[in-house]
Protein backbone atom coordinates (compact mmCIF):
# COMPACT_ATOMS: atom_id res chain seq x y z
CA UNK A 1 0.00 0.00 0.00
CA UNK A 2 1.42 3.37 -0.97
CA UNK A 3 1.30 6.71 0.87
CA UNK A 4 -1.65 7.99 -1.17
CA UNK A 5 -3.71 4.89 -0.37
CA UNK A 6 -2.82 5.17 3.31
CA UNK A 7 -3.93 8.80 3.25
CA UNK A 8 -7.18 7.86 1.54
CA UNK A 9 -7.95 5.16 4.11
CA UNK A 10 -7.21 7.58 6.94
CA UNK A 11 -9.40 10.24 5.32
CA UNK A 12 -12.25 7.74 5.03
CA UNK A 13 -11.77 6.72 8.67
CA UNK A 14 -11.98 10.36 9.75
CA UNK A 15 -15.09 10.89 7.64
CA UNK A 16 -16.58 7.82 9.36
CA UNK A 17 -15.72 9.26 12.78
CA UNK A 18 -17.61 12.46 11.98
CA UNK A 19 -20.54 10.79 10.20
CA UNK A 20 -22.67 10.71 13.34
CA UNK A 21 -22.15 14.38 14.09
CA UNK A 22 -20.79 13.58 17.55
CA UNK A 23 -17.33 13.86 19.02
CA UNK A 24 -16.42 10.62 20.75
CA UNK A 25 -13.20 9.66 22.49
CA UNK A 26 -13.52 6.00 21.51
CA UNK A 27 -13.77 6.93 17.83
CA UNK A 28 -10.75 9.25 18.19
CA UNK A 29 -8.83 6.37 19.77
CA UNK A 30 -9.82 4.06 16.91
CA UNK A 31 -8.57 6.61 14.36
CA UNK A 32 -5.32 7.06 16.28
CA UNK A 33 -4.75 3.31 16.49
CA UNK A 34 -5.43 2.95 12.77
CA UNK A 35 -2.93 5.72 11.99
CA UNK A 36 -0.29 4.03 14.13
CA UNK A 37 -0.91 0.71 12.38
CA UNK A 38 -1.02 1.98 8.79
CA UNK A 39 1.68 4.62 9.21
CA UNK A 40 4.07 3.39 11.93
CA UNK A 41 6.77 5.86 10.80
CA UNK A 42 4.38 8.75 11.33
CA UNK A 43 4.86 10.23 7.86
CA UNK A 44 1.20 11.21 7.47
CA UNK A 45 0.21 14.56 8.90
CA UNK A 46 -2.83 13.42 10.84
CA UNK A 47 -3.59 16.94 12.09
CA UNK A 48 -3.74 18.17 8.49
CA UNK A 49 -6.11 15.33 7.57
CA UNK A 50 -8.36 16.23 10.52
CA UNK A 51 -8.36 19.87 9.39
CA UNK A 52 -9.18 18.92 5.80
CA UNK A 53 -12.05 16.63 6.74
CA UNK A 54 -13.53 19.09 9.24
CA UNK A 55 -13.13 22.34 7.31
CA UNK A 56 -13.39 21.23 3.68
CA UNK A 57 -14.81 17.70 3.57
CA UNK A 58 -13.49 15.90 0.51
CA UNK A 59 -15.67 14.18 -2.03
CA UNK A 60 -16.14 10.59 -0.84
CA UNK A 61 -16.12 9.17 -4.37
CA UNK A 62 -12.84 10.92 -5.17
CA UNK A 63 -11.17 9.66 -1.98
CA UNK A 64 -12.46 6.13 -2.59
CA UNK A 65 -11.31 6.32 -6.21
CA UNK A 66 -7.69 6.57 -5.08
CA UNK A 67 -7.87 2.99 -3.78
CA UNK A 68 -6.87 0.80 -6.68
CA UNK A 69 -7.03 -2.77 -5.43
CA UNK A 70 -9.97 -4.75 -4.12
CA UNK A 71 -7.96 -5.37 -0.96
CA UNK A 72 -7.39 -1.70 -0.16
CA UNK A 73 -11.03 -0.89 -0.90
CA UNK A 74 -12.18 -3.66 1.45
CA UNK A 75 -9.68 -2.53 4.09
CA UNK A 76 -10.97 1.05 3.90
CA UNK A 77 -14.54 -0.15 4.36
CA UNK A 78 -13.70 -2.41 7.29
CA UNK A 79 -11.71 0.32 9.01
CA UNK A 80 -14.61 2.75 8.57
CA UNK A 81 -16.98 0.19 10.13
CA UNK A 82 -14.57 -0.23 13.03
CA UNK A 83 -14.47 3.52 13.64
CA UNK A 84 -18.26 3.80 13.45
CA UNK A 85 -18.62 0.89 15.88
CA UNK A 86 -15.97 2.13 18.32
CA UNK A 87 -18.53 3.90 20.52
CA UNK A 88 -20.77 0.83 20.62
CA UNK A 89 -23.58 2.32 18.54
CA UNK A 90 -24.11 2.78 14.83
CA UNK A 91 -26.65 5.53 14.28
CA UNK A 92 -28.56 6.43 11.11
CA UNK A 93 -25.89 8.93 9.98
CA UNK A 94 -23.17 6.30 10.25
CA UNK A 95 -25.24 3.65 8.47
CA UNK A 96 -25.95 6.13 5.66
CA UNK A 97 -22.25 7.01 5.42
CA UNK A 98 -21.27 3.32 5.27
CA UNK A 99 -23.83 2.68 2.53
CA UNK A 100 -22.47 5.60 0.48
CA UNK A 101 -18.93 4.38 1.13
CA UNK A 102 -19.75 0.85 -0.04
CA UNK A 103 -21.18 2.30 -3.25
CA UNK A 104 -18.15 4.57 -3.77
CA UNK A 105 -15.81 1.62 -3.23
CA UNK A 106 -17.81 -0.66 -5.53
CA UNK A 107 -18.63 -3.07 -2.71
CA UNK A 108 -21.95 -4.80 -2.13
CA UNK A 109 -24.10 -2.62 0.14
CA UNK A 110 -25.08 -5.60 2.31
CA UNK A 111 -21.62 -5.68 3.84
Amino acid sequence: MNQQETGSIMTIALMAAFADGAKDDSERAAVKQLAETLDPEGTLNLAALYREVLLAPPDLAAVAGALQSAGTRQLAYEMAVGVCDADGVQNAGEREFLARLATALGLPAAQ
Side-chain angles (χ1 to χ4, degrees):
M1 186 166 43
N2 64 37
Q3 187 75 9
Q4 181 183 10
E5 290 173 317
T6 300
S8 292
I9 291 171
M10 288 307 306
T11 299
I12 288 169
L14 286 168
M15 293 172 80
F18 300 131
D20 61 3
K23 297 175 180 128
D24 186 88
D25 287 339
S26 57
E27 289 180 351
R28 281 189 196 99
V31 168
K32 183 178 184 224
Q33 181 180 10
L34 179 59
E36 291 169 353
T37 301
L38 294 180
D39 184 35
E41 297 84 27
T43 56
L44 276 179
N45 185 341
L46 193 55
L49 287 177
Y50 265 97
R51 184 179 60 242
E52 177 184 329
V53 171
L54 283 170
L55 299 179
D59 178 68
L60 183 59
V63 175
L67 301 171
Q68 299 301 306
S69 73
T72 56
R73 290 190 301 271
Q74 188 67 48
L75 178 63
Y77 183 81
E78 296 301 331
M79 296 304 96
V81 169
V83 169
C84 288
D85 289 348
D87 62 359
V89 175
Q90 227 184 66
N91 71 17
E94 290 168 324
R95 287 189 296 275
E96 187 270 333
F97 171 79
L98 291 172
R100 287 188 305 117
L101 177 60
T103 298
L105 294 169
L107 300 174
Q111 294 187 16

